[in-house]
Structure formats: structure tokens, C-alpha cells
Amino acid sequence: MSTTSDLITAAVLFGPGALLSIPVITSQRDAKADSARVQAVLAHSAYERAVLAETEQDAPAPPDGGQPTPTPTQAPRLAAVIDLDTRRAA
């Protein structure tokens, strides 16, 4: 085989892989940043759960062994409501 045919064969075999490696490497770099963000959110959530568990342990249990009555500090957290435009095109 000649050198030219070897170069063409190498370009056909390795060219698509080289081109596809660029977005793969970029996505891996972005995945590490996303992973750091996810770990930060999980750490914050674990802290909130730990604080909530401490406050629940301090609450006295009812004498009949049932569920404790909810206090204002144990009220469920509600999501923020965004008022969106309700007009629709006819």
C-alpha cells in the first residue's frame, strides 16, 4: 500500500472519533461542575434535615404514643407562586 492510501484510511477511521471527542470532553468538564453544584445542594439539604431532626427530638412525645401535634415551626414549607399572564391567543 502506498502512503497516500494509508493516510486516507487513517483519516476515515480516526477522523469521526477525533471530531466526536471534542463535545465529549467538553461535556465531561461541565459534568464535573454540575456534580459540584449537586454536592453543594445535597450538603445543604442534609444540614436542613439534621436541624429538623434535632428539633423533632426536642419535641415531647404525646402520652398515648401517637404523633405529636404540629407546632408553627413544623408547618410545611410552601412553594413560591409566580403570577403568570393568563391571556391566550385566539
Side-chain angles (χ1 to χ4, degrees):
M1 283 191 152
S2 69
T3 306
T4 306
S5 63
D6 289 343
L7 291 175
I8 292 173
T9 304
V12 168
L13 292 176
F14 296 119
L19 291 176
L20 290 175
S21 67
I22 296 169
V24 169
I25 291 171
T26 305
S27 68
Q28 291 297 323
R29 183 176 35 166
D30 293 342
K32 289 179 184 178
D34 290 343
S35 179
R37 290 185 199 111
V38 168
Q39 293 298 328
V41 169
L42 289 176
H44 182 69
S45 174
Y47 174 75
E48 287 180 350
R49 284 183 279 138
V51 169
L52 182 63
E54 286 179 5
T55 58
E56 287 178 355
Q57 288 177 356
D58 295 340
D64 62 352
Q67 293 291 328
T69 56
T71 60
T73 58
Q74 293 177 341
R77 295 170 60 183
L78 301 176
V81 177
I82 301 172
D83 195 17
L84 299 175
D85 190 17
T86 56
R87 292 181 297 160
R88 293 187 182 173

